């Protein structure tokens, strides 16, 4: 791996060999081509026609560039490009391309959204994003970074920088101890274990825990846990809950379900509204 893109143009012979499977494939071509070696080691050989390369090897295990010769190996595959007459060769910086979302506060660069994060190509600053995050167009009052909207039980508008405005803290403030553990007399606490979970306060004596889904709490499930509105429909906090299926098959009406939910012992699970 390397940090830039190597571009080479000239009269070249391209040789590809593969011994994978039961057959061996070989191909040799010569012409005026453009050779591109990307930071992830991907090698592309382009001629004058169209956008499809005449030869390529995607993320090979190794690439060497020496004296006008490029050799890429990946298992049984070998791509070799030999330059007979080089017209030019250079290395250029390259970054992920994305949708512009604002100005970088640390340099004169532009923040772009790409590959699940917001980053600045100018100074390599990077901010991770929740999977469902949308850029709001607003600005953080403290640091002036863009703000994002994400849903974890309710809709939160947060600063892009998690150190400036923590999603964990906001979810904890909204839902810590709001729901009862269905397996003991404990409360469900908000904890992070890779993702955000509602886990029993009596852990490890009680190991009940539920991953908090992306969505907004809109009601109470017949089992007593909160019911979330998600992109794929309504679901209980407990992803394995069959109470809704049983209720539907039993023909319990929506009004009866609401009555049962409101008379249960659960804490304000259905009383959270969007900010």
């Amino acid at each position: 791996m390397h940090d830039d893109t190597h571009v080479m143009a000239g009269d070249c012979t391209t040789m590809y060999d593969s011994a994978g499977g039961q057959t061996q494939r070989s191909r040799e071509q010569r012409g005026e081509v453009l050779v591109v070696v990307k930071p992830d080691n991907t090698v592309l050989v382009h001629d004058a026609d169209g956008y499809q390369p005449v030869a390529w090897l995607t993320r090979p295990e190794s690439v060497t560039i020496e004296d006008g010769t490029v050799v890429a190996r990946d298992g049984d595959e070998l791509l070799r490009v030999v330059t007979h007459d080089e017209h030019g060769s250079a290395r250029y910086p390259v970054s992920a391309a994305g949708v512009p979302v604002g100005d970088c506060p640390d340099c004169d660069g532009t923040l772009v959204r790409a590959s699940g994060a917001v980053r600045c190509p100018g100074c390599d600053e990077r901010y991770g994003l929740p999977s469902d995050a949308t850029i709001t167009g607003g600005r953080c009052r403290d640091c002036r970074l863009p703000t994002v909207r994400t849903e974890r039980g309710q809709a939160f508008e947060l600063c892009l920088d998690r150190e400036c405005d923590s999603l964990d803290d906001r979810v904890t403030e909204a839902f810590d101890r709001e729901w009862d553990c269905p397996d003991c007399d404990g409360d469900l606490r908000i904890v992070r274990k890779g993702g955000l979970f509602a886990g029993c306060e009596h852990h490890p004596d009680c190991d009940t825990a539920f991953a908090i889904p992306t969505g907004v709490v809109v009601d109470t499930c017949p089992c007593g846990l909160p019911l979330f509105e998600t992109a794929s429909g309504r679901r209980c906090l407990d992803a394995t809950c069959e109470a809704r299926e049983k209720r539907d098959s039993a023909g319990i009406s929506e009004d009866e379900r609401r009555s049962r939910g409101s008379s249960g012992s659960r804490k304000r699970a259905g009383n959270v509204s969007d900010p």
Side-chain angles (χ1 to χ4, degrees):
M1 296 286 289
H2 43 93
D3 296 329
D4 51 19
T5 291
H6 190 117
V7 180
M8 182 174 63
D11 176 13
C12 303
T13 295
T14 302
M15 294 158 283
Y16 171 81
D17 288 290
S18 173
Q22 298 180 348
T23 60
Q24 181 170 350
R25 294 177 296 160
S26 297
R27 184 171 65 251
E28 181 174 328
Q29 297 167 294
R30 179 166 178 172
E32 304 279 349
V33 296
L34 178 70
V35 183
V36 179
V37 183
K38 293 187 171 185
D40 66 355
N41 281 351
T42 295
V43 179
L44 306 168
V45 182
H46 287 276
D47 66 359
D49 187 25
Y51 66 87
Q52 182 76 23
V54 296
W56 69 92
L57 205 54
T58 304
R59 301 184 184 91
E61 296 171 353
S62 66
V63 173
T64 59
I65 306 172
E66 186 175 356
D67 298 328
T69 298
V70 177
V71 179
R73 298 179 184 272
D74 190 38
D76 295 326
E77 293 183 280
L78 171 66
L79 177 62
R80 189 165 180 259
V81 183
V82 178
T83 305
H84 306 291
D85 182 15
E86 184 178 295
H87 304 324
S89 178
R91 294 180 180 271
Y92 299 101
V94 66
S95 70
V99 178
V101 298
D103 298 328
C104 178
D106 298 323
C107 72
D108 295 330
T110 298
L111 296 172
V112 299
R113 180 173 185 169
S115 304
V118 170
R119 63 188 72 204
C120 175
C123 65
D124 294 329
E125 190 66 65
R126 183 185 184 279
Y127 304 94
L129 287 175
S131 59
D132 67 313
T134 56
I135 306 297
T136 66
R139 292 281 182 174
C140 175
R141 289 176 294 181
D142 297 325
C143 69
R144 305 304 298 166
L145 279 170
T147 56
V148 300
R149 184 185 187 276
T150 186
E151 294 181 351
R152 294 295 186 277
Q154 69 183 54
F156 298 98
E157 184 171 342
L158 307 161
C159 176
L160 184 62
D161 186 351
R162 295 184 181 184
E163 293 185 3
C164 179
D165 195 2
S166 168
L167 174 62
D168 293 20
D169 291 347
R170 298 281 290 276
V171 175
T172 298
E173 181 181 355
F175 297 112
D176 193 51
R177 295 187 182 277
E178 286 294 298
W179 308 313
D180 296 334
C181 176
D183 297 319
C184 73
D185 60 355
D187 292 335
L188 294 180
R189 306 297 306 271
I190 304 302
V191 295
R192 176 169 286 280
K193 294 182 178 179
L196 281 172
F197 284 79
C200 183
E201 65 175 334
H202 293 154
H203 178 81
D205 294 329
C206 177
D207 60 2
T208 297
F210 308 103
I212 298 177
T214 299
V216 176
V217 175
V218 292
D219 215 326
T220 303
C221 180
C223 75
L225 289 169
L227 193 67
F228 286 73
E229 187 75 56
T230 72
S232 58
R234 292 193 173 189
R235 54 151 288 187
C236 178
L237 174 65
D238 180 359
T240 65
C241 177
E242 297 179 355
R244 183 172 180 80
E245 181 179 346
K246 291 180 179 178
R247 186 209 78 215
D248 291 342
S249 62
I252 300 175
S253 70
E254 185 75 9
D255 289 341
E256 288 175 322
R257 182 179 67 81
R258 289 180 181 274
S259 175
R260 294 183 184 186
S262 62
S263 62
S265 62
R266 301 297 173 199
K267 305 176 184 179
R268 296 183 289 121
N271 298 329
V272 179
S273 60
D274 286 358

